[in-house]
Amino acid sequence: MAQMIKVPSEKYKYFRLNDVHAHSPIYCESESRRPINSWTQNGRKNFVKTIITILAACGLGVTGILFAFGVFDLQCQESAVSVTSPVTVNASNLNNQLLLPALNIDAPQCGNIPQESRQDCWPEEKGTSQQGCEARGCCWLPAGFSMKRRLGNVPWCFYPTNYNGYMVTSVEKITAGTRAQLQLSRPSSWPNDVQKLYVDIVSETKTRLNVKIYDPANTRYEVPVTLNKEQTTDFTDFDVFSSMGQAPLMFADQFLQFGTQLSSKYIYGLGEHRGAFLVSTNWTKMAFWARDEPPSNHDAHGVFLVNSNAMEVEVTPEPSVIYRTTGGILDFYIFTGPSPDNVVQQYTQLIGRPFMPPYWALGFHLCRWGYGGTAGLKTVIKRMRDANMPYDTQWNDIDYMRDHLDWTYDSTHQFRGLPDVVQDLHDHGQHYIMIIDPGISNSQPKGTYIPYDDGLKRNVFIKTPDGSQPIIGKVWPGTTAYPDFYHPNASDYWYTHAKAYHDIVPFDGIWIDMNEPSNFVAGSTAGCPNNNLENPPWLPPGRCVPPPASTSPPTTIFTVFMDTARPSPQNNKILGGNKRSIVISRSTFPTTGVHSGHWLGDNNAKWDDTYYSIPGIMNFNLFGIPLVGADICGFNGNSNPELCMRWMQLGAFYPFMRNHNTIGNKDQDPASFDTATQDKMRDALLLRYKLLPYLYTLFYINHVEGTPVIRPIFFQYPESAYNVSYMVDTQFMWGDALLVTPTTSQNTYKGLAYLPKDRWYDWFNQSYIDSAGYMGDFDLPMEHINLQVRGGVVIPLQAPNVTTTLSRKNPFSLLVTLTSTGSAKGRMYWDDGESLNSISDKKYNLINFNVSQHMLSSEVVYRGYTGEVITLEHITILGVEIAPTSITVNGQVLTAGYTYKNKVLEINSLTVDLLQPLTINWTV
């Protein structure tokens, strides 16, 4: 689809396809109609334009979000005309208005296309040739010296500028939007083209638009996820797509393609992948299906593509992005920002806000595959306690099971006595989580393995194409069947067996692994069927897939099977009906964050993996899945004291903190190392536990407002010299207050890092620097991570202990960091840490803090939880330039209990009830 689409305004000044203007306020009168580089908006020119593309999805991602900074109106060379009244478009005037120029194979417009503007006409991995390329009506012009077509190379086979596509046959107004009817003008090179398409453009909110391209004559698969749909006619004018000169719109039965120009080469996201935060635009291709393996400067908008079929996205140097998928429809949601935080908020408003985790889930988690039974498990638990390591949750990998069978444990051999171990954890205020894989063994003698027998009885397993029997794959227990989690009986089935196991081993959460679903054989034990569903004309790199579930085509199963991770009200009954829990899932999909968290999968005990974890965690916070972490110290391979210690320092700032490694490797729990290493790891854990009230507050804000817990630097600082903040992916922020600069290389005591333009306080020595915004050497001492606090914040803290259960009994403190003008603000959320409906039932406390003119005050916004005494004992105020002459607390003059040194005011020995208004004044 060529040219651009404009977002409807409140006056329906909206959308434009080539030179068809349906109520469009701005359009171009030049012959070429190509946008030029002088992008303007209200007279502003040459501003930074940044794009973030996010494909958040299962495993490697399937669904697209496009964040753009510096959204623009297109200005043509000759004129830009404003239409002040709606334009009536008659179908008779549109018959020959092609979205793409007519194809002339004899004289293709190829030679004038710069290499960086080539759009790949041969997306297949192999088989390109001049004959095949030209048969598609495309240009063949080898580039470079290699005869091999590789990912990242300049395409040899690419679309000419006059490649045909669809034409508009009519445009009409529909409820809250517009509908364009498109007719295919010539066959594509893909089988079973859809001849007629509808493009529906509907305003859903003031900041959200839905653009849906679909076949009106046939029902096609659409993702069965619940979205918070709305409609409005109040929408601000906004340019959405500029697809002129891009890969053409194609809509065949098993090949869909949509290309659009981007306004910047700053591209992020593209689903879960191992790599830098900033994605290369050198024709980078990323496959997305779950498998085991602008109005003003710096403004943002986002695009969310709802499609769960196998998908590939290609990013080109122009820059542009091309979506290709094997089926479904093209269902885009556009979010108008204007800030990056706003875009994430608008996205999570649509898919659902992330869940509020229990307080204990933010503590330290410990796991390994290969404890050697309950004896080894007890040894590690005792070792951690003896070392006084903060430690909340113990996990088990698959070795606890009997023969790797779900909902069992090895009760007669190695893990005899596991229920007693779990009870001991509970007695110490700790928690227990175990792994569950969705593959259910079918090889046990009949009547000996109830989960399989019951699954057959309830008919919940995915069936072979003829529906005669369950399809059989192979995972850890051997041959297995897979529950169809869209089957109406599946939820009750899963609950029944989870509850039965919980009655024996009272777990506190579930770890869902292998839920892409993973399969150790291609397709099934019968192999890959030879049909068009398993062998579509185009497929991203991967493997064949199982036959369909009850509601989805086969290439979709790999992206929605993770619904196993979704808790239901029944699941909550397992834990007593009114307690929050966590589910940590390997495979994810948009809306996963509403119910669950994620870990980044198996990694390695290597320094590179410490770095790769940072882009991964930042990406998932943009995807609306903030409870995310990596396997600290590395899963595969043996760690070492320096690597594990540095990783523990970094991991202390993961939203989800778990140390985990594999069978056969050395122990890497913190208490297994030498005393000096233990001390540094303990300090990192104590720092995290001290900060938990602030982290918990960030999760509350994320839950009710949608802003990320972990944020890239440019979310807070979009303006930076040479756009440095957009390129930093070795640092990140907790909320808007803490800047974390970890060490990700061996034997490193100084490292290049960025300090944004602001006042920053060193967490440890409490000194400050007023930064102009610079890259420079940061101190990276072995003793602790580099942690900076932004000036102008109030952070709630709590004295730490070895569990969150004990920590919650301790008094609170406040850290105040003043700006150069002496101001600061912050807030604190608090509840009982575990009740399921604390927020909706109004059983929580919310307190705002404000500092100005030498006065700290608090406002109790809501007081609904009184189950604990919330006592403020200590206040640290940084940046107090002049020594106070007097201090009053709620009108009472302090004669002792405070100190002042090096611009730091410490007020000690308070016994203030934080649920009462607080006023502290200091006179200078």
Side-chain angles (χ1 to χ4, degrees), residues 12 14 171-180 198-203 210 214 231 233:
Y12 290 99
Y14 346 157
V171 178
E172 61 181 318
K173 183 177 176 180
I174 58 176
T175 303
T178 291
R179 171 174 294 159
Y198 278 2
V199 181
D200 289 354
I201 303 178
V202 176
S203 303
N210 182 211
Y214 63 100
Q231 282 191 352
T233 58

Side-chain angles (χ1 to χ4, degrees), residues 357-413:
Y359 196 81
W360 59 263
L362 305 184
F364 177 57
H365 301 250
L366 183 61
C367 184
R368 74 160 300 153
W369 179 13
Y371 278 119
T374 51
L377 190 59
K378 289 178 181 178
T379 296
V380 172
I381 294 171
K382 183 178 185 301
R383 185 163 68 204
M384 289 287 288
R385 289 173 182 167
D386 290 346
N388 289 317
M389 291 290 177
Y391 161 46
D392 259 80
T393 307
Q394 178 62 54
W395 294 49
N396 272 132
D397 209 318
I398 57 174
D399 49 320
Y400 80 92
M401 299 176 181
R402 173 173 60 86
D403 300 325
H404 297 152
L405 300 175
D406 277 354
W407 311 121
T408 72
Y409 76 97
D410 185 6
S411 60
T412 59
H413 295 93

Side-chain angles (χ1 to χ4, degrees), residues 650-664:
L650 166 60
F653 290 90
Y654 292 165
F656 166 61
M657 185 186 187
R658 186 184 68 167
N659 179 315
H660 179 42
N661 69 328
T662 191
I663 194 167

Side-chain angles (χ1 to χ4, degrees), residues 343-512:
V343 172
V344 178
Q345 288 174 308
Q346 291 153 18
Y347 170 58
T348 56
Q349 181 184 30
L350 174 67
I351 66 168
R353 301 290 196 214
F355 81 108
M356 184 70 187
Y359 196 81
W360 59 263
L362 305 184
F364 177 57
H365 301 250
L366 183 61
C367 184
R368 74 160 300 153
W369 179 13
Y371 278 119
T374 51
L377 190 59
K378 289 178 181 178
T379 296
V380 172
I381 294 171
K382 183 178 185 301
R383 185 163 68 204
M384 289 287 288
R385 289 173 182 167
D386 290 346
N388 289 317
M389 291 290 177
Y391 161 46
D392 259 80
T393 307
Q394 178 62 54
W395 294 49
N396 272 132
D397 209 318
I398 57 174
D399 49 320
Y400 80 92
M401 299 176 181
R402 173 173 60 86
D403 300 325
H404 297 152
L405 300 175
D406 277 354
W407 311 121
T408 72
Y409 76 97
D410 185 6
S411 60
T412 59
H413 295 93
Q414 286 192 321
F415 278 87
R416 183 172 56 250
L418 180 60
D420 295 333
V421 175
V422 174
Q423 184 60 52
D424 175 70
L425 289 168
H426 290 164
D427 290 344
H428 284 79
Q430 295 172 292
H431 299 81
Y432 176 74
I433 293 175
M434 78 291 171
I435 196 170
I436 289 291
D437 296 341
I440 301 296
S441 173
N442 75 322
S443 59
Q444 308 306 307
K446 186 175 181 179
T448 65
Y449 185 48
I450 297 175
Y452 181 70
D453 296 339
D454 186 40
L456 286 178
K457 181 180 178 181
R458 297 181 190 238
N459 195 33
V460 298
F461 295 124
I462 297 173
K463 297 293 186 67
T464 54
D466 62 6
S468 62
Q469 58 186 349
I471 181 173
I472 303 302
K474 188 175 183 180
V475 203
W476 294 113
T479 55
T480 55
Y482 298 90
D484 173 2
F485 287 95
Y486 285 106
H487 192 285
N489 296 335
S491 180
D492 283 342
Y493 163 76
W494 202 246
Y495 165 76
T496 296
H497 299 286
K499 177 65 167 64
Y501 185 71
H502 186 270
D503 289 344
I504 301 169
V505 181
F507 57 85
D508 301 291
I510 293 178
W511 172 19
I512 303 284

Side-chain angles (χ1 to χ4, degrees), residues 628-693:
V628 58
D631 282 345
I632 294 170
C633 300
F635 178 72
N636 293 307
N638 286 315
S639 194
N640 60 71
E642 182 187 358
L643 171 62
C644 197
M645 181 270 296
R646 290 294 203 184
W647 209 333
M648 285 288 291
Q649 291 173 346
L650 166 60
F653 290 90
Y654 292 165
F656 166 61
M657 185 186 187
R658 186 184 68 167
N659 179 315
H660 179 42
N661 69 328
T662 191
I663 194 167
N665 286 346
K666 295 179 181 178
D667 288 343
Q668 63 184 36
D669 59 276
S672 68
F673 291 94
D674 61 90
T675 301
T677 302
Q678 285 187 40
D679 290 344
K680 295 179 181 68
M681 291 182 175
R682 185 185 304 104
D683 287 345
L685 288 166
L686 289 170
L687 174 57
R688 178 185 179 88
Y689 276 58
K690 184 174 185 176
L691 283 163
L692 284 185

